[in-house]
Amino acid sequence: RPGHRRVVKIDSRDAQQFYERKQIVQLDAMSRTVALWILAAFFVVAGANHFLNPGPYFPMMPPYLPWPEGLIIVSGIAEIGGRLGLLVPRVRRLAGWGLIALLVAVFPANVQVALHGWPGEPIPHWALWARLPLQGVLIAWVYWICLVARSQSDPRKLSPE
């Protein structure tokens, strides 16, 4: 019946398990929210940098790729657009796939820099190689935020069995 609440008796062990699950759900929701905002900030800063300071991106471009200026602009637009998509729950999943595709697409530029150095940038060679696995970390981060099913964010939906 609408407005009628059913009273369910639970023992203290069940109550403790319910409380622990509720805490885990709240922690998961909070950590995902913080991670989402950090990721969004990263992509907007990185994307804006393509327009504000495009110079360092030119040496990253592998010589076999055509139209480096256009690719730098497109990747900057994709990063900013992906950031916007991260913040809109209805399109977050699509934005996640788009950002993962972008991170895979720019990987050859990171390989180019690791192999040949970054002209004009005083970055140690080891750091250029260390960037390569970080691409995988970013992909995993986007995947976790956008594509992994969230636990129930509303603790009221969790009830002891």
Side-chain angles (χ1 to χ4, degrees), residues 83-136:
R83 183 266 190 191
L84 294 173
L86 286 175
L87 300 179
V88 179
R90 295 187 88 172
V91 296
R92 186 172 296 145
R93 187 171 181 79
L94 180 61
W97 283 118
L99 287 170
I100 288 171
L102 173 68
L103 290 166
V104 169
V106 301
F107 190 73
N110 291 324
V111 171
Q112 172 76 14
V113 168
L115 290 173
H116 304 289
W118 202 335
E121 299 295 328
I123 300 173
H125 215 65
W126 67 265
L128 298 175
W129 282 98
R131 287 170 46 102
L132 298 178
L134 288 178
Q135 205 79 2

Side-chain angles (χ1 to χ4, degrees), residues 1-5:
R1 294 184 313 237
H4 175 66
R5 291 192 171 191

Side-chain angles (χ1 to χ4, degrees), residues 2 4 6 15 18 23-24 45 48 60 71 73 119 121 125 155:
H4 175 66
R6 187 176 73 169
F18 175 75
Q23 295 303 317
I24 290 169
V45 168
M60 292 180 73
L71 292 175
I73 291 169
E121 299 295 328
H125 215 65

Side-chain angles (χ1 to χ4, degrees), residues 8-158:
V8 177
K9 290 187 176 186
I10 56 175
D11 66 27
S12 62
R13 187 178 67 233
D14 288 339
Q16 181 63 31
Q17 287 175 346
F18 175 75
Y19 176 76
E20 289 169 0
R21 288 193 328 189
K22 179 181 172 185
Q23 295 303 317
I24 290 169
V25 167
Q26 289 173 338
L27 180 61
D28 180 57
M30 183 173 54
S31 62
R32 280 178 179 265
T33 300
V34 169
L36 169 70
W37 282 99
I38 292 170
L39 190 64
F42 169 80
F43 278 111
V44 79
V45 168
N49 197 49
H50 284 70
F51 300 102
L52 299 174
N53 188 21
Y57 295 100
F58 287 104
M60 292 180 73
M61 300 300 286
Y64 58 84
L65 292 177
W67 197 41
E69 298 89 358
L71 292 175
I72 290 168
I73 291 169
V74 166
S75 62
I77 290 170
E79 287 176 346
I80 293 170
R83 183 266 190 191
L84 294 173
L86 286 175
L87 300 179
V88 179
R90 295 187 88 172
V91 296
R92 186 172 296 145
R93 187 171 181 79
L94 180 61
W97 283 118
L99 287 170
I100 288 171
L102 173 68
L103 290 166
V104 169
V106 301
F107 190 73
N110 291 324
V111 171
Q112 172 76 14
V113 168
L115 290 173
H116 304 289
W118 202 335
E121 299 295 328
I123 300 173
H125 215 65
W126 67 265
L128 298 175
W129 282 98
R131 287 170 46 102
L132 298 178
L134 288 178
Q135 205 79 2
V137 170
L138 282 172
I139 289 170
W141 192 354
V142 169
Y143 187 85
W144 177 63
I145 292 297
C146 300
L147 303 169
V148 171
R150 293 174 179 259
S151 59
Q152 298 290 333
S153 60
D154 185 355
R156 293 172 296 177
K157 293 180 182 176
L158 293 177

